[in-house]
Amino acid sequence: MAEFAEKKSVSARPAGILPDRAQPHNLKVEQAVLACILREPKSCVDTVVEKLGTAGDAFYSAANRSIYQAAVELNKAGTVPDLLSVAQKLKSAGKLEAAGGELYLAEVYASIATTVNIESWCDILRKLCMLRRMIDACSGALIKCFDDNADPAKLVEEIETDIYKIRNEDNKEAIKDLPVLVAQEFQMLLDIRDRKIEVGIPTGYAPLDDFTGGLKKGEMFVLAARPSIGKTTLGLNIISNVAIKGEKRRPVAFFSLEMTDSQIARRLLCSEAGIPESVFWNGTFNDSDMTKLTAAAAEIRKAQLFIDPTGGLTISELRAKARRLKNEHDIQLIVIDYLQLMHADAKVDGRQQEVAEISGGIKKLAKDLNIPVLVLAQLNREIDKNTSANARPKLAHLRESGAIEQDADIVTFLHRNRDDAKNIADGASTEAELIVEKNRNGKIGTVKMFFYPSKMLFEAQPPVSREYAPGGGQ
């Protein structure tokens, strides 16, 4: 009967690039895993389900797949899936003969002497299954490429998504006991105290990091403001602090939907040099400026900063590009300028629904790549209608969707009086505030800032006012 499984091992999936060649598989290991279930169902079936799932696609042989699915169905129904019950289940479903009959079941049962290696056998089947999925994805991609109506950009996104899913299917978290988790977290807190590890990436603004712990992995950090307040400038300042000036320079990806790549490079260059861009337009550029500019260029060349100026970026495009940069350059931070200029992947009913889809996609991207995403966003006009001197942005002022507030781990508002920067002397500063309005895991409050319009630079200033977030920062 050993030949039976070989004959019945034709996969239900496409044959792939080489139709005459069998896809990766190991029938003896498949039989061994099934034998574990039939011999010791109470202790083994749950282990196999946890490792391989319930679909049965880890089994290449159609016969072995049928036997496994019968065992899983019995287990779901509360029946012990031993040799007799599995045979009866297959018989009542009219699948016993197709699965090799009772003789093949007996052969499977006798194929092992012990179940001690069940987990390692499951690992082998899972890896072989991943290889088969890769073959299917790649061969399917080749077939799509021959379609005259295929959209190359969309096809690349589909292929990357398929491969990314396969890659992450093997990264299943094991169940852990609470004492183990507590011990790990206790040690992590001690390491944070002793400065052995950092909570998050420092923004370069110490008072802000005191509130937030920096830009933490997997979190969505929103920086919002009205137009012309300086959110792009502050975003670029944070990028500079992380990628150029920091003690530990980190690779950063900047998706700018509003500015061109040359505008971004020029602004970073002048900001790093500490000279206004206006000196190039009004003819006041001098030798001292040249020295500063040369030094700034030398520092910037050491940075790993990847700029994508694609306008009207969709979530799928963002995801594909970010994944590629993470795989190729191990980027540690993503910055998006700005959220409301992005588009959903498909048409949706209303702008609020579209922004909600975009916001949810950004949050999922942060979790999937396990890196922080700093998202610049625009506020609605309601804040401008308030003429009170004490008027400050609130969460309700986030433009077009309350989903941004829900998805974000941290929401900050940049606030200042626009008129203060009018006719201000070169090198002079005006006051601004960075308001931490939501902090899921910490405090809220206000960081006082200095804004230097000529240098396009924000600096933090003491003191820092603090208050606890209502309800623990929901």
Side-chain angles (χ1 to χ4, degrees):
M1 295 301 293
E3 294 83 3
F4 178 82
E6 188 70 51
K7 293 177 181 178
K8 289 289 183 177
S9 65
V10 178
S11 174
R13 295 181 292 275
I17 302 171
L18 302 173
D20 297 329
R21 182 175 178 179
Q23 293 187 355
H25 66 283
N26 189 320
L27 297 179
K28 289 185 178 180
V29 175
E30 289 184 16
Q31 289 181 339
V33 171
L34 293 175
C36 290
I37 294 175
L38 298 177
R39 280 176 170 269
E40 299 181 15
K42 290 185 178 179
S43 61
C44 291
V45 65
D46 290 333
T47 299
V48 177
V49 168
E50 182 182 351
K51 288 278 189 178
L52 303 180
T54 59
D57 55 354
F59 295 86
Y60 182 75
S61 161
N64 293 339
R65 192 157 54 245
S66 294
I67 295 169
Y68 178 70
Q69 289 171 340
V72 169
E73 290 173 11
L74 287 169
N75 189 56
K76 284 182 180 178
T79 302
V80 177
D82 57 18
L83 179 62
L84 295 177
S85 63
V86 169
Q88 182 58 40
K89 176 70 174 177
L90 289 168
K91 185 176 182 179
S92 62
K95 298 179 179 179
L96 181 58
E97 291 306 314
E102 293 178 348
L103 286 178
Y104 181 64
L105 282 172
E107 179 184 323
V108 170
Y109 185 89
S111 63
I112 62 169
T114 176
T115 63
V116 69
N117 293 320
I118 182 172
E119 292 195 14
S120 61
W121 289 332
C122 286
D123 289 339
I124 292 172
L125 293 190
R126 191 173 67 246
K127 291 175 181 177
L128 291 170
C129 183
M130 285 184 67
L131 290 174
R132 295 197 295 272
R133 287 174 181 165
M134 283 293 297
I135 291 172
D136 293 342
C138 293
S139 58
L142 283 174
I143 293 171
K144 292 177 182 177
C145 287
F146 284 101
D147 184 351
D148 293 337
N149 297 318
D151 181 346
K154 186 177 181 181
L155 185 56
V156 168
E157 163 62 17
E158 291 176 359
I159 295 170
E160 287 184 337
T161 298
D162 290 342
I163 293 176
Y164 187 78
K165 285 180 180 178
I166 295 169
R167 180 179 182 178
N168 283 332
E169 279 177 357
D170 199 43
N171 296 331
K172 294 182 179 179
E173 292 285 344
I175 298 173
K176 297 180 181 178
D177 292 334
L178 180 59
V180 175
L181 293 173
V182 168
Q184 291 176 351
E185 295 305 308
F186 184 82
Q187 184 60 51
M188 186 193 74
L189 292 173
L190 292 180
D191 289 342
I192 292 173
R193 181 202 64 180
D194 297 336
R195 306 293 184 184
K196 293 181 180 179
I197 61 174
E198 57 187 11
V199 180
I201 298 173
T203 62
Y205 297 99
L208 176 62
D209 294 337
D210 286 344
F211 281 105
T212 65
L215 301 163
K216 297 191 285 292
K217 293 181 178 180
E219 288 196 350
M220 176 178 171
F221 189 118
V222 173
L223 170 60
R226 288 291 294 140
S228 302
I229 295 299
K231 61 181 181 293
T232 298
T233 296
L234 183 54
L236 286 171
N237 289 169
I238 292 174
I239 288 173
S240 177
N241 292 337
V242 173
I244 302 172
K245 297 178 181 176
E247 294 180 8
K248 182 180 179 182
R249 302 182 187 210
R250 305 162 201 265
V252 176
F254 183 32
F255 295 90
S256 175
L257 289 82
E258 192 173 33
M259 298 173 64
T260 67
D261 48 5
S262 59
Q263 287 175 324
I264 295 164
R266 187 167 60 246
R267 182 176 289 192
L268 279 171
L269 186 57
C270 290
S271 179
E272 182 71 16
I275 59 176
E277 283 190 48
S278 59
V279 299
F280 297 96
W281 324 136
N282 59 25
T284 60
F285 184 71
N286 55 42
D287 291 342
S288 175
D289 293 333
M290 185 62 188
T291 302
K292 295 177 183 177
L293 202 65
T294 302
E299 287 300 309
I300 292 175
R301 275 196 288 265
K302 300 175 185 176
Q304 284 188 285
L305 175 57
F306 306 95
I307 300 171
D308 187 310
T310 304
L313 198 67
T314 67
I315 280 293
S316 290
E317 291 169 339
L318 171 68
R319 186 165 51 241
K321 292 180 179 184
R323 285 174 186 164
R324 194 178 306 118
L325 287 169
K326 179 64 177 175
N327 291 334
E328 294 177 2
H329 303 284
D330 193 26
I331 55 172
Q332 300 297 303
L333 171 65
I334 293 173
V335 181
I336 303 169
D337 183 18
Y338 60 92
L339 184 147
Q340 285 90 351
L341 291 178
M342 292 187 65
H343 293 293
D345 294 323
K347 291 184 178 180
V348 293
D349 296 330
R351 179 59 180 165
Q352 287 193 355
Q353 180 64 32
E354 183 177 31
V355 172
E357 184 176 325
I358 294 166
S359 176
I362 292 172
K363 174 59 181 175
K364 187 175 185 303
L365 177 65
K367 292 178 66 177
D368 288 347
L369 298 186
N370 195 31
I371 60 176
V373 178
L374 172 60
V375 191
L376 279 54
Q378 200 166 94
L379 299 176
N380 60 38
R381 296 182 180 276
E382 291 300 316
I383 183 64
D384 291 339
K385 296 178 181 179
N386 194 328
T387 58
S388 170
N390 295 321
R392 295 293 186 275
K394 299 293 182 184
L395 292 172
H397 294 140
L398 282 168
R399 184 176 169 185
E400 295 177 321
S401 179
I404 302 173
E405 172 189 347
Q406 295 174 358
D407 294 327
D409 297 280
I410 297 171
V411 178
T412 60
F413 297 124
L414 182 62
H415 177 73
R416 66 180 179 84
N417 188 342
R418 285 194 195 96
D419 294 336
D420 289 346
K422 292 180 179 178
N423 301 318
I424 191 170
D426 285 349
S429 67
T430 182
E431 291 189 346
E433 294 177 337
L434 187 57
I435 304 165
V436 182
E437 188 69 12
K438 176 187 176 181
N439 187 359
R440 199 185 298 276
N441 300 306
K443 302 174 183 178
I444 62 173
T446 301
V447 176
K448 298 292 185 180
M449 308 283 283
F450 287 122
F451 175 50
Y452 296 83
S454 63
K455 300 178 183 179
M456 288 295 172
L457 178 67
F458 282 91
E459 288 184 353
Q461 59 165 312
V464 180
S465 64
R466 304 168 186 263
E467 57 184 271
Y468 286 94
Q474 297 296 317

